[in-house]
Amino acid sequence: MSAAETITLLCNVGLFDLAIQISKAFGLPLTPIFETLTSWCMRLSQSSSYSIAQDDALTAAAWDWLDSNETGSQQSAKELTSAEQAWRLLQRYLATYREAADSRYHRCVATRLLALGLTLPTWLVGAYKVVNAPELLRLYIDFDLLLPAAYLAMEYIDAVLGSGKEHFGLKVALHATTPAVWLPYTELDKLLVLLKAVQMEPTYAKLYQDIHAKLNGYFETLQRVSIDMIRTKLQVANTNI
């Protein structure tokens, strides 16, 4: 039996910690593990009665494999449903096995959830924003989720301008003395086109106007910063003469 086949079997019975160990040992991606665990989380959430005392057969049986994995939760298992415990396990894996500037596992989980018409958990959105906000914006647009896409776009513009940049993994904001930081123009342009097409809806019309206003503010700041950068370089050059 190959390593990939072994991993598949382990995932099917919920032994995810062991599946990860084998994947790491053989240099295999963790994508199948995240896909399977996400599916389990969705199934448990749909079946859960949100009360451990009333778990149905599926959610009650899930404790057998959940107890075989380290969730990292500080709460007692008795305080959580099996669905909540499964989501916590997924959350821990995403935090533990994320490599720098690599959002493939976040994309894997988010795509599977959005494809089924489910809302992304708050913790997943927060983590994804730090790792790769433009990609999350692209996903929202691809799934025609204009409201979350618009709110994310405005938050990102604010972050680039310095307000809440830590929530987007940005080390610096737009400033004359810091490295360049840019907006995802392609995604923003596409979003504006989509919002403009549904402007007959007051909510979308306002979002369209709000994003335009924020972009105008961004471009004004960008122009001012560009001028400041040129002046600074000229001053340095004159000093060295």
Side-chain angles (χ1 to χ4, degrees), residues 158-163 165 170-181:
D158 287 340
V160 169
L161 291 174
S163 178
K165 68 181 187 298
L170 299 176
K171 295 181 179 180
V172 297
L174 185 62
H175 194 274
T177 59
T178 60
V181 55

Side-chain angles (χ1 to χ4, degrees), residues 105-145:
Y105 299 138
H106 292 76
R107 181 174 65 252
C108 165
V109 173
T111 299
R112 178 149 290 205
L113 293 172
L114 293 176
L116 292 176
L118 300 178
T119 301
L120 299 185
T122 301
W123 62 263
L124 176 57
V125 173
Y128 209 160
K129 284 162 57 175
V130 172
V131 180
N132 195 339
E135 184 178 80
L136 175 58
L137 177 59
R138 195 176 311 124
L139 272 181
Y140 278 148
I141 293 172
D142 288 344
F143 283 94
D144 202 29
L145 298 172

Side-chain angles (χ1 to χ4, degrees), residues 191-205:
L191 176 59
L192 286 172
V193 169
L194 293 172
L195 287 173
K196 187 175 183 179
V198 291
Q199 278 193 101
M200 65 289 299
E201 294 288 339
T203 298
Y204 295 123

Side-chain angles (χ1 to χ4, degrees), residues 17 20 24 30 34 92-99 105:
D17 279 358
I20 288 176
K24 290 290 187 180
L30 306 182
F34 279 101
R92 184 178 75 84
Y93 285 164
L94 281 174
T96 302
Y97 300 107
R98 176 180 73 84
E99 298 179 3
Y105 299 138

Side-chain angles (χ1 to χ4, degrees), residues 75-89:
Q75 285 183 273
S76 169
K78 294 182 179 180
E79 299 175 4
L80 302 170
T81 64
S82 56
E84 291 170 333
Q85 195 81 336
W87 284 110
R88 284 175 182 264
L89 180 62

Side-chain angles (χ1 to χ4, degrees), residues 169-221:
L170 299 176
K171 295 181 179 180
V172 297
L174 185 62
H175 194 274
T177 59
T178 60
V181 55
W182 306 103
L183 290 174
Y185 295 114
T186 301
E187 287 76 13
L188 289 172
D189 286 343
K190 186 174 182 179
L191 176 59
L192 286 172
V193 169
L194 293 172
L195 287 173
K196 187 175 183 179
V198 291
Q199 278 193 101
M200 65 289 299
E201 294 288 339
T203 298
Y204 295 123
K206 186 177 187 308
L207 288 172
Y208 178 83
Q209 295 169 359
D210 290 346
I211 293 176
H212 256 299
K214 285 186 177 292
L215 281 174
N216 288 337
Y218 165 79
F219 287 122
E220 289 175 2
T221 302

